[in-house]
Amino acid sequence: MTTPDTDSLPRHVAIIMDGNGRWAKRRGLPRVMGHRRGVESVKKVVETARKMGIEALTLYAFSTENWRRPATEVAALMELLATFLRREAPNMMANNIRLTAIGQIDRLPDSAGRALREVMAQTAANTGLVLNLALSYGSRDEIIRASRRFAADCVAGRRQPEELDEELFAAYLDTAGLPDPDLVIRTSGEFRLSNFLLWQLSYAELYITDTPWPDFREAEFRAAIADFQGRQRRFGRTGEQV
Ligand code: FPP
């Protein structure tokens, strides 16, 4: 008999923040109101993760597929992102939070892109929670970009194809330097990964809740962590071996 691990915190939590639009629609509000309330959830969850001592939090804020949304919604999301970054920078400094990003950052509009680069530079030396935003992010796109970089290094003679193993490949991904997520949370009830961290989530525990992102706050985050702590992670071994 093995007992579940009751006290180990996940080092890295990744979240698919879904359900902002449905939250707003149910209230007869424009979708952007759901995103606006979603930003409040981002603040609460970041604060809670930091207080709990979690090392890294990756938030799926905008996917490569999200560019297909109506231009007004894309513009509103980018505006919310820029405002969030500028407003929260002092708070990140005060709380030792380091901001990082994954995805095609150069596709972001000027104001959001500039805010992101500035706050990443400002917080680069912080040593507490890593807040990693997935922006214009798609996992297949990330894997292709990593493969191209590795191939280019081979052509330039810096690498040999035979050298490539899982560890080296991971170093070419946007998430280089971060541990793989131990737990992935998806809000609003869909059972999909939606092109999110397909390589990095290989051994992650999945937690899916019906709660839409705008209602996902401290208590919901703590419940997800408690659920994770009750799981037994076997990494391919038997229950008796772990
Ligand atoms: C999913 O809801 C949410 C998004 C596509 C964007 C998430 C963005 C934020 C919470 C705000 C900006 C981000 C930061 C980090 C400040 P949905 O619109 O897909 O909801 P639906 O599936 O109900 O339509």
Side-chain angles (χ1 to χ4, degrees):
M1 263 292 282
T2 48
T3 47
D5 192 356
T6 48
D7 52 14
S8 68
L9 272 180
R11 292 180 66 191
H12 183 178
V13 179
I15 309 185
I16 302 175
M17 309 182 289
D18 197 16
N20 294 350
R22 278 164 285 171
W23 180 92
K25 198 173 168 202
R26 271 200 293 277
R27 288 162 179 78
L29 297 169
R31 292 176 56 85
V32 66
M33 294 303 289
H35 296 315
R36 206 167 281 169
R37 236 189 95 110
V39 175
E40 296 309 309
S41 297
V42 169
K43 290 186 203 166
K44 283 284 172 223
V45 166
V46 170
E47 190 190 327
T48 308
R50 181 192 63 75
K51 281 194 296 196
M52 294 179 87
I54 285 167
E55 283 176 45
L57 181 68
T58 295
L59 302 179
Y60 204 3
F62 196 86
S63 71
T64 45
E65 291 76 23
N66 284 154
W67 291 114
R68 298 187 202 135
R69 292 193 175 196
T72 48
E73 183 170 339
V74 171
L77 278 167
M78 292 300 153
E79 181 73 43
L80 280 175
L81 174 67
T83 309
F84 166 84
L85 292 170
R86 293 202 189 287
R87 277 209 193 126
E88 290 302 306
N91 194 16
M92 290 184 211
M93 290 309 292
N95 288 297
N96 199 21
I97 294 172
R98 178 157 66 94
L99 181 75
T100 59
I102 54 173
Q104 303 167 340
I105 302 312
D106 48 0
R107 279 187 74 182
L108 298 180
D110 276 357
S111 137
R114 207 173 323 118
L116 183 70
R117 279 187 292 273
E118 282 172 16
V119 182
M120 285 198 298
Q122 195 187 346
T123 62
N126 289 348
T127 54
L129 175 73
V130 175
L131 171 58
N132 183 39
L133 299 182
L135 292 164
S136 190
Y137 176 85
S139 186
R140 288 184 172 186
D141 170 71
E142 178 194 30
I143 290 169
I144 295 286
R145 287 186 288 104
S147 304
R148 284 188 186 148
R149 283 197 292 269
F150 178 73
D153 278 354
C154 288
V155 170
R158 288 187 290 267
R159 291 282 180 198
Q160 294 299 316
E162 304 71 38
E163 281 181 80
L164 190 62
D165 59 13
E166 292 184 13
E167 198 186 337
L168 181 58
F169 190 69
Y172 280 85
L173 293 169
D174 294 352
T175 48
L178 281 176
D180 283 345
D182 306 288
L183 170 67
V184 58
I185 298 171
R186 181 164 189 145
T187 60
S188 213
E190 314 273 7
F191 291 79
R192 283 194 287 275
L193 283 180
S194 301
N195 203 12
F196 186 48
L197 300 174
L198 300 179
W199 170 281
Q200 297 89 337
L201 294 178
S202 293
Y203 285 101
E205 295 293 323
L206 312 180
Y207 180 87
I208 294 164
T209 171
D210 284 336
T211 306
W213 180 251
D215 290 335
F216 191 92
R217 301 286 166 97
E218 174 159 0
E220 288 74 18
F221 185 74
R222 286 186 184 276
I225 302 299
D227 187 275
F228 170 87
Q229 290 176 316
R231 310 257 183 113
Q232 185 193 63
R233 304 182 78 201
R234 292 198 293 272
F235 299 101
R237 296 188 180 92
T238 68
E240 286 68 36
Q241 286 176 297
V242 292

